[in-house]
Amino acid sequence: METCVWQITMRGNEIKTSLRWITLHERAHIELGHFAILKGVPTFNLISKSGKSQVHESDLPRALWGKVERCLELQADHEALEEMLGTIDEIDWSELRITVASIAAVMVLIEKADADNPNPSETHPKAATRIFQLLGHVNDVWSIGASLNADDLPDAERIQAFAKEVILPAYFDTVEMAKSADATSFVDDLGDPEVFFADITHAKLGHWDQLQTVGAKEWAELKDANEQILPLVYKFQAENNTSI
């Protein structure tokens, strides 16, 4: 497979995959109770037109309101990723690479369109932050579904092969696709591959002061806020039987 599977115009399969991710993302907003958290205010547009957060949730400190919608977007991203990416043994690695690129394309193009909006908002996380979460998930695909028993984990050679054939190419696919879409600010935010993947390791270990990339720093900034929002999500799911 070529280093970059993207051109400015996506092919039919990539478009279908992108649309599936968008559908799962929007469904997650409903099933996680995000509209209830926002008191029913429908602010979850693909390209946000709102300049300020419209959160009116009395159970959340006012200081968090500016972070809530970005957290909810990352929550919806996460749920859609969980459903689409699978485990190392149940997916075709080439197809996974295309899936990741299809999802990344949506994230980058949303930011590109929002950047051209005369009233840009802070209701969506940066594309680099969403990609950081996406590739962080891909980075862990080899361990998903395995128990704590080390004997159930893939051997080191298989993990290294997965990194070589999927994880690293997925990063470069995203960079090349962003360049083809002239999303240069995103490429700068993403950072060099060595620093980007080092940040994934630092985030796993909780080494917040060692994070260097824009996406990793925003992800860490939103982490504490997200932990305060999650009880509202769990409460909604329990009351409405919408657990995913």
Side-chain angles (χ1 to χ4, degrees), residues 1-67:
M1 182 178 290
E2 297 294 329
T3 298
C4 178
V5 298
W6 287 98
Q7 295 178 343
I8 292 178
T9 302
M10 293 188 292
R11 295 172 294 187
N13 287 341
E14 285 94 37
I15 291 173
K16 289 179 181 178
T17 301
S18 295
L19 290 174
R20 181 176 178 231
W21 181 81
I22 292 170
T23 300
L24 292 173
H25 172 100
E26 296 303 323
R27 188 187 76 181
H29 277 315
I30 297 171
E31 294 183 341
L32 294 172
H34 290 170
F35 293 106
I37 291 173
L38 294 176
K39 298 291 187 183
V41 179
T43 58
F44 293 108
N45 302 307
L46 259 179
I47 312 298
S48 177
K49 298 296 190 295
S50 170
K52 296 181 180 179
S53 173
Q54 300 186 47
V55 177
H56 298 289
E57 174 53 64
S58 59
D59 292 334
L60 291 173
R62 180 65 182 85
L64 291 183
W65 287 9
K67 299 179 180 180

Side-chain angles (χ1 to χ4, degrees), residues 152-179:
D152 293 334
L153 294 172
D155 58 39
E157 184 176 348
R158 184 164 171 78
I159 294 172
Q160 290 174 357
F162 184 75
K164 181 179 180 180
E165 295 180 30
V166 179
I167 299 173
L168 288 173
Y171 168 90
F172 288 109
D173 287 343
T174 302
V175 170
E176 292 303 317
M177 178 275 299
K179 288 180 179 177

Side-chain angles (χ1 to χ4, degrees), residues 55-96:
V55 177
H56 298 289
E57 174 53 64
S58 59
D59 292 334
L60 291 173
R62 180 65 182 85
L64 291 183
W65 287 9
K67 299 179 180 180
V68 169
E69 289 180 290
R70 286 182 289 160
C71 289
L72 301 187
E73 290 295 336
L74 289 177
Q75 287 179 13
D77 283 2
H78 179 270
E79 295 300 325
L81 296 178
E82 287 275 297
E83 189 155 346
M84 288 188 69
L85 296 187
T87 70
I88 192 172
D89 293 321
E90 68 185 17
I91 52 179
D92 178 270
W93 291 3
S94 295
E95 290 181 5
L96 174 61

Side-chain angles (χ1 to χ4, degrees), residues 70-132:
R70 286 182 289 160
C71 289
L72 301 187
E73 290 295 336
L74 289 177
Q75 287 179 13
D77 283 2
H78 179 270
E79 295 300 325
L81 296 178
E82 287 275 297
E83 189 155 346
M84 288 188 69
L85 296 187
T87 70
I88 192 172
D89 293 321
E90 68 185 17
I91 52 179
D92 178 270
W93 291 3
S94 295
E95 290 181 5
L96 174 61
R97 184 176 162 187
I98 292 172
T99 297
V100 172
S102 301
I103 295 169
V106 177
M107 295 173 173
V108 173
L109 293 176
I110 287 173
E111 178 163 294
K112 182 70 166 58
D114 202 19
D116 296 333
N117 180 355
N119 297 304
S121 74
E122 296 183 356
T123 60
H124 285 75
K126 289 181 174 292
T129 307
R130 304 175 90 157
I131 299 296
F132 181 77

